[in-house]
């Protein structure tokens, strides 16, 4: 029997295994994931941004953990020779309505303790000559990194501390009793005194498999990216973001330099009909049936018809996608949008159509389940792991 079992090979699961073994030397631990490699889904399919915590509701787990996690991510990267760069981020307002939202966002950033600078249109152009707007917020501490590299380094620490990692093992049953939890899968079964489930896109299914009485459902949203040609990677020096709509959980299409020297555009947010299908048009019948038959999704769709149609149009037609970017970067052309692999965001939706905006973590006597951990979970992985370890202590 193991002392601990962790299900999930993304950055949150691996960080949790790392923190468990760091705080409990000599404990036995098994980490299990059905993918053939670590960081196969949300961790390995994102913009690679070390977020600052500017957006999130004051006092929320996202606001607290993102700010703390950003510094821990940089410290961990420095200690393990993982490249990262603090390039800063500009949030650009392109009209009066966005400028008003920008000022509200500035007040939120002050409340959240995030360093931010208001700049006018002239200063914006001075800093980024190819970007235009009526004003912007500059967040100097935002950085870029490869979160897959971070996950692999964490996994190395797990193995060094005596932990075992089993990949390619799909979980088929979870049975908890007063003494232990038995986890069975495609390549064997394990017993553990404590279980942590960080299953991302499969979080709701594994929670129900374990008998949790949850009524939420994971709705997958595809985030489609483009990549600029190599000769255009000097278009901007910093991350360039639009001012987000506070009614939506997505930050909008942005320009993102990456740590490997590329410059990406994206993501948008369109309904996914396959939780793990990254090719455009991917459909998994079970996934599609669960989403389209879920009353919570029906309510989300009804409340966001205009936004949903716009995102679908921009997914189907590059010129619509381009128009979103040209609001703040008019130099971009249709020829600049080269294909890049999409990501899929695991968004928990409640039956009344409410999107779970914060991290959501539930527990049973012997297990902890992370039910909602989209962005900025990669930035916040180590503080989330500490939260989980505290839950295990209780």
């Amino acid at each position: 029997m193991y002392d601990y079992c962790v299900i999930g090979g993304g950055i949150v699961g691996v960080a949790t295994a790392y923190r468990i073994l760091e705080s409990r030397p000599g404990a036995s631990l098994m980490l299990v994931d059905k993918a053939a490699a670590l960081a196969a889904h949300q961790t390995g399919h994102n913009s690679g941004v070390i977020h600052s915590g500017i957006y999130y509701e004051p006092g929320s787990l996202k606001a607290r953990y993102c700010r703390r996690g950003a510094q821990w991510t940089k410290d961990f990267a420095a200690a393990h020779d993982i490249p990262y760069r603090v390039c800063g981020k500009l949030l650009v307002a392109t009209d009066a309505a966005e400028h008003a939202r920008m000022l509200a966002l500035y007040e939120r950033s002050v409340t959240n303790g995030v360093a931010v600078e208001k700049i006018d249109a002239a200063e914006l152009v001075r800093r980024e000559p190819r970007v235009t707007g009526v004003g912007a917020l500059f967040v100097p501490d935002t950085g870029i990194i490869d979160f897959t590299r971070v996950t692999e380094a964490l996994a190395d620490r797990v193995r060094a501390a005596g932990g075992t990692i089993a990949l390619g093992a799909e979980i088929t049953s979870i049975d908890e009793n007063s003494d232990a939890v038995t986890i069975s899968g495609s390549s064997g079964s394990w017993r553990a005194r404590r279980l942590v489930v960080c299953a991302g896109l499969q979080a709701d299914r594994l929670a129900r498999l374990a008998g949790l009485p949850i009524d939420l459902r994971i709705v997958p949203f595809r985030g489609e990216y483009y990549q600029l040609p190599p000769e255009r990677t000097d278009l901007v020096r910093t991350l360039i973001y639009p001012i987000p709509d506070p009614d939506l959980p997505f930050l909008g299409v942005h320009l993102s330099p990456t740590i490997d020297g590329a410059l990406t555009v994206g993501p948008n947010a369109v309904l996914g009909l396959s939780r793990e299908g990254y090719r455009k048009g991917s459909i998994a019948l079970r996934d599609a049936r669960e989403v389209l038959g879920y009353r919570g999704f029906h309510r989300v769709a009804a409340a966001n018809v205009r936004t949903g149609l716009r995102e679908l149009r921009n997914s189907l037609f590059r010129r619509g996608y381009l128009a979103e970017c040209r609001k703040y970067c008019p130099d971009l052309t249709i020829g600049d949008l080269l294909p890049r692999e999409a990501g899929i965001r695991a968004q928990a939706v409640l039956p009344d159509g409410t999107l779970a905006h914060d991290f959501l973590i539930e527990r049973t006597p012997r297990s902890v389940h992370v039910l909602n951990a989209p962005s900025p979970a990669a930035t916040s992985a180590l503080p989330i792991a500490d939260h989980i370890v505290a839950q295990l202590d209780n």
Side-chain angles (χ1 to χ4, degrees):
M1 181 188 294
Y2 289 94
D3 294 316
Y4 300 95
C5 179
V6 177
I7 299 174
I11 191 169
V12 174
V14 181
T16 299
Y18 164 71
R19 283 304 208 200
I20 288 172
L21 292 175
E22 187 178 54
S23 62
R24 296 160 172 78
S28 58
L29 181 144
M30 166 68 79
L31 185 145
V32 183
D33 193 274
K34 74 171 185 174
L38 298 170
H41 296 297
Q42 291 183 105
T43 302
H45 292 81
N46 58 49
S47 301
V49 177
I50 305 173
H51 288 286
S52 60
I54 186 174
Y55 305 105
Y56 312 115
E57 183 69 28
S60 66
L61 294 181
K62 282 188 176 183
R64 291 156 47 203
Y65 292 173
C66 184
R67 188 172 67 253
R68 191 185 313 162
Q71 188 58 55
W72 284 2
T73 300
K74 296 167 189 174
D75 291 344
F76 184 86
H80 294 83
D81 297 321
I82 300 170
Y84 74 97
R85 180 160 63 91
V86 180
C87 56
K89 172 168 61 179
L90 281 164
L91 293 96
V92 180
T94 60
D95 57 31
E98 289 186 356
H99 193 266
R101 295 210 307 263
M102 184 193 88
L103 296 178
L105 189 58
Y106 175 81
E107 296 302 324
R108 173 169 285 191
S109 71
V110 172
T111 302
N112 283 343
V114 177
V116 65
E117 177 187 359
K118 283 187 287 188
I119 63 174
D120 60 19
E123 177 63 13
L124 172 62
V125 173
R126 190 192 70 77
R127 297 188 187 193
E128 291 287 359
R130 291 175 173 142
V131 174
T132 61
V134 298
L137 299 178
F138 179 61
V139 188
D141 292 335
T142 303
I144 53 176
I145 199 168
D146 181 345
F147 283 113
T148 297
R149 290 276 303 272
V150 177
T151 305
E152 290 168 346
L154 287 165
D156 288 342
R157 302 305 303 154
V158 169
R159 295 186 184 99
T164 302
I165 297 177
L167 301 176
E170 184 171 2
I171 302 304
T172 56
S173 70
I174 300 173
D175 180 27
E176 178 177 339
N177 59 37
S178 60
D179 298 320
V181 185
T182 301
I183 306 99
S184 299
S186 57
S187 60
S189 63
W190 306 271
R191 295 185 74 227
R193 293 182 175 85
R194 295 284 187 273
L195 171 68
V196 178
V197 182
C198 307
L201 287 157
Q202 307 296 335
D204 57 337
R205 289 173 177 166
L206 288 187
R208 287 194 291 271
L209 198 64
L212 268 70
I214 62 167
D215 54 5
L216 59 80
R217 186 157 298 175
I218 296 296
V219 174
F221 285 93
R222 285 176 56 81
E224 296 167 338
Y225 291 88
Y226 291 97
Q227 181 169 312
L228 272 63
E231 64 272 16
R232 296 281 275 166
T233 55
D234 63 350
L235 188 71
V236 295
R237 295 187 294 270
T238 60
L239 294 151
I240 309 296
Y241 276 60
I243 299 297
D245 184 336
D247 294 328
L248 298 174
F250 313 112
L251 300 180
V253 174
H254 46 267
L255 284 168
S256 299
T258 65
I259 199 64
D260 62 0
L263 181 59
T264 66
V265 184
N268 60 355
V270 292
L271 176 67
L273 296 179
S274 173
R275 295 195 187 195
E276 299 175 4
Y278 294 97
R279 295 174 64 90
K280 183 169 282 192
S282 294
I283 298 176
L285 292 180
R286 179 188 178 189
D287 297 344
R289 184 171 61 249
E290 287 188 2
V291 169
L292 298 178
Y294 180 48
R295 66 184 184 278
F297 169 70
H298 298 164
R299 290 168 177 165
V300 170
N304 296 278
V305 172
R306 181 177 299 178
T307 299
L309 291 175
R310 185 187 70 224
E311 293 292 306
L312 179 60
R313 178 202 67 195
N314 293 346
S315 173
L316 295 173
F317 304 104
R318 280 193 304 162
R319 291 196 179 278
Y321 198 110
L322 178 66
E324 296 292 321
C325 312
R326 284 175 58 89
K327 290 178 183 177
Y328 56 80
C329 189
D331 274 12
L332 286 170
T333 68
I334 196 71
D336 289 330
L337 302 184
L338 304 181
R340 186 178 175 93
E341 191 172 41
I344 301 176
R345 176 191 179 105
Q347 177 61 56
V349 178
L350 304 181
D352 64 0
T354 302
L355 304 182
H357 288 283
D358 205 2
F359 301 140
L360 182 58
I361 301 170
E362 298 289 347
R363 60 169 297 173
T364 70
R366 289 195 170 270
S367 65
V368 177
H369 289 254
V370 180
L371 298 177
N372 192 61
S375 181
T379 300
S380 309
L382 288 169
I384 293 172
D386 284 345
H387 178 103
I388 292 169
V389 170
Q391 293 287 304
L392 293 171
D393 285 340
N394 292 333

